[in-house]
Each structure stands twice: as C-alpha cells, then as structure tokens.
Amino acid sequence: MEIRLKSAGSRHGTREYMFQYDQDKGELYSFQVLYSKTNGWSSLPTVVRRYSLTAGVCGEWLLPYSFSPLALDLIPFSNARIAVVGNDCFLAQSKNHSAEDGGGDLVRFQLSGDRLGRSEPKVLHILPSNLICDGLVRVSDSRMLIEIYDIAKERRMFAVFDCNEDEIYHVCDVYRVAVSPDGKSFVALENGNDGRIALYDVESCAIEEISAIKLPLHELHGLHVRWINQSVVMFWTGNGSWWLYHVQKRCLFKNGVVPLRKDEYVKTVLGRDKFLIREHTAGLFQPNQFIATLQANGDVVRRKVGGRFSPKKMLTEDYFYAEE
C-alpha cells in the first residue's frame, strides 16, 4: 500500500513534500510553500501538516516565514531543511541567504495543538561564521542531527543538536548519514580515502563511535546507506552492488548484486529485498521504473511502476511512501 500527498493548485501553493517520518508514532510530516497571502501574511508562508498512517491529517500549521526548500537529501524523502522535534518546528536558514533575520542558522516555531498561533519565530545563532546549517533530521523527541557545511574547507560534517538546550554537543567529520528507526544511532560514511564507515551512538552527550566497517575501495564511489530495520543496515551503489551489516553482531553478513539491464541503475532501496530500478533517459521522456524484489531462491520479480508515481521508502511492512 502506498501513501501519497496531494498538493494544492499552482494558484495557491507549490508541491507538497514529505520531510519526516516518526516510526515510533506512525506519523508523517509534510511541508508546502504557499504563493498567495494567507491570514494577512504577505511573505511566502509554509504550511506544515502531520499525517497519521491510520487517521489521515491530524495537524496543520501555517508558519509565517519564507522557507527555501533547496538542500541535499539526508533522508530518502524530498527535503531535509525542516524538522519537527517534540512540539517545535525548526527551519534551516543559511546565514548567507537570511539577512532579514540577522543571519541566523535555525528558525524555531512552537506548534501548539493542531494549529500555530501568531507567535514570533525564535532565530538561533548556533554556528561560527564560517559554518552553515544545511540540513536537519529528527533523531529523538529532544535532538536533531544537523548537516553543517564549512565554507572555507568546502567540507560537509554533521553534529547532534540538543533542542532543549539549543546547544551542539559534538561535530563529526562524516559526509553521508542514515539515522536508525529508533533515532538512537546513525551510520555514517567518514571523510577520507580509507573506506571507513562508522556507527555512532547519539544518546550520549558526545557521539561515541561504536565500530568501523571497511568496504572495497573501488565500491566507495557513489555508495549509499539505508537502515532496513533496527538491526540491519544496507550499503548499496547505483550499479546494483549491496551489502548487509548486522548492528548487534557487528559484521557484514550478506552481499549480492541486483541484476540490471544495460540502460538501468538502482535509484534507491525500498526495503531489505526491494529496490527501485530506473532507466537512464535523456530529454523530456519520463524514465521507466521497476520495483525489483529479490526472492529467497535467488529469482528477481520485477513490477513496473506506472505513470509518474515514484516510490521513496518502505515505512512499515504494509506501507511505503511515494511522490508524483
């Protein structure tokens, strides 16, 4: 079963994007930037909605703030410059593009009940001038993982931010991360050329490196990472190579290759045995997409994805998220 978000017409807003899924609560969050004036706010306000997997829309808030959705993907959805943690919504506002708020790193809104009151946003200055906050991911009811870009070194890093204390605990020198389903740890590709992949604990005040994994150096280019469940992490590349890592046992225990045709690549991993395959195409034609399921006997079952429908991630055994 798929979950799709419907966007308002172009007269009133842009496309609606999912930006967060809280597995512990079974809730999705989306945002939509509006074009028109709403409730007297003339800037481009952002609508944030909360969805329940079983009950549909269960909250909607209008943030009276201009929000730039451009960012790298930290999680396999559309956007990572916005996050909801506890009863607060945070927006990453790069100091290079936010002169109107005094060059803050984050903007914080309090979400009360099922709608936002006319409370003033709180602008947070948490980083030195040479660092920019480029992305946000909720990791618990009080913490976020934030993506940091060092302007001088042209390098990306990550840090744990405590939302109760408005404080950064630790910065780690990694460039790609995936947060565990329970939000208590994350796996990261470290900066460097030695092929190290580290697993970190985010519950302690300082991030603790739990273990390091090494994959073949020739496979590191274009390597991606995805938590399959609380115990298993998958590493994969666009050419179809994949590895499974067991967190508790601290070992790589299985690997393989997704069979691809000449003009295909793996777009993303939907689950432990499910991959989204896409054709390489040029021009205005929509590429064909397939969900490839690996069977226990080694066979691969392909199912063509119809229209402009694009699966992103399995949420539960029965639901996956998709965009059009």
Side-chain angles (χ1 to χ4, degrees):
M1 182 180 295
E2 72 270 12
I3 295 173
R4 305 192 200 185
L5 304 183
K6 289 187 176 181
S7 64
S10 59
R11 179 181 177 184
H12 300 290
T14 59
R15 182 175 174 180
E16 183 177 6
Y17 292 96
M18 174 176 166
F19 65 87
Q20 182 171 310
Y21 172 57
D22 296 349
Q23 185 182 59
D24 53 343
K25 301 176 181 178
E27 293 178 342
L28 317 174
Y29 286 89
S30 72
F31 79 90
Q32 184 179 19
V33 179
L34 301 185
Y35 285 131
S36 61
K37 291 185 179 181
T38 306
N39 292 347
W41 287 316
S42 59
S43 61
L44 297 180
T46 302
V47 174
V48 172
R49 299 183 181 94
R50 181 174 66 220
Y51 294 81
S52 165
L53 290 184
T54 56
V57 180
C58 54
E60 185 174 72
W61 301 272
L62 185 65
L63 309 186
Y65 210 81
S66 178
F67 171 53
S68 172
L70 299 178
L72 297 177
D73 289 341
L74 298 186
I75 51 178
F77 305 132
S78 301
N79 189 270
R81 292 182 64 90
I82 181 171
V84 174
V85 182
N87 294 321
D88 293 313
C89 182
F90 293 84
L91 303 181
Q93 290 293 112
S94 170
K95 54 174 64 74
N96 282 1
H97 303 91
S98 56
E100 70 279 2
D101 62 24
D105 300 295
L106 296 175
V107 182
R108 180 177 193 157
F109 294 92
Q110 185 174 9
L111 305 180
S112 55
D114 60 358
R115 63 181 298 276
L116 177 73
R118 281 178 169 268
S119 59
E120 290 298 319
K122 181 179 180 181
V123 179
L124 304 180
H125 300 262
I126 60 173
L127 296 171
S129 59
N130 64 309
L131 301 179
I132 294 175
C133 180
D134 249 2
L136 311 170
V137 178
R138 170 196 181 262
V139 292
S140 73
D141 281 335
S142 62
R143 290 184 179 178
M144 292 189 298
L145 191 65
I146 67 172
E147 180 185 14
I148 298 171
Y149 181 68
D150 189 317
I151 302 172
K153 297 180 180 178
E154 297 184 344
R155 198 179 187 108
R156 295 194 179 275
M157 301 169 290
F158 290 85
V160 171
F161 176 75
D162 189 293
C163 302
N164 293 332
E165 304 294 333
D166 288 345
E167 181 179 348
I168 290 178
Y169 276 111
H170 187 77
V171 177
C172 52
D173 195 17
V174 296
Y175 68 94
R176 183 172 290 162
V177 303
V179 180
S180 64
D182 66 1
K184 295 180 180 179
S185 56
F186 68 92
V187 66
L189 279 63
E190 297 187 329
N191 282 311
N193 298 315
D194 57 355
R196 284 171 56 86
I197 301 168
L199 185 68
Y200 291 86
D201 176 16
V202 296
E203 286 197 300
S204 58
C205 292
I207 303 173
E208 294 182 16
E209 181 179 321
I210 298 174
S211 62
I213 313 160
K214 280 199 173 184
L215 292 177
L217 290 177
H218 68 277
E219 295 283 7
L220 290 179
H221 179 70
L223 190 68
H224 301 271
V225 58
R226 170 73 53 84
W227 286 79
I228 302 302
N229 55 45
Q230 193 55 47
S231 299
V232 177
V233 174
M234 176 177 282
F235 304 99
W236 57 278
T237 63
N239 65 12
S241 299
W242 56 268
W243 300 261
L244 290 177
Y245 177 77
H246 198 287
V247 176
Q248 284 76 30
K249 296 179 180 178
R250 303 286 195 268
C251 66
L252 292 166
F253 67 94
K254 193 174 182 180
N255 67 287
V257 178
V258 182
L260 299 174
R261 297 165 187 166
K262 183 178 180 180
D263 60 344
E264 294 178 340
Y265 68 100
V266 175
K267 173 64 177 177
T268 190
V269 172
L270 297 174
R272 178 167 178 167
D273 301 312
K274 292 183 184 296
F275 301 81
L276 180 65
I277 296 174
R278 178 176 289 184
E279 291 181 345
H280 289 283
T281 59
L284 301 177
F285 295 101
Q286 185 72 14
N288 289 322
Q289 296 186 115
F290 304 88
I291 295 177
T293 303
L294 305 183
Q295 304 293 302
N297 61 4
D299 294 339
V300 178
V301 176
R302 283 175 166 241
R303 179 164 65 91
K304 188 174 181 179
V305 177
R308 303 181 69 87
F309 175 58
S310 183
K312 295 291 185 180
K313 176 180 171 60
M314 296 298 296
L315 303 180
T316 70
E317 292 295 326
D318 302 311
Y319 292 90
F320 64 84
Y321 171 73
E323 293 179 350
E324 291 182 293

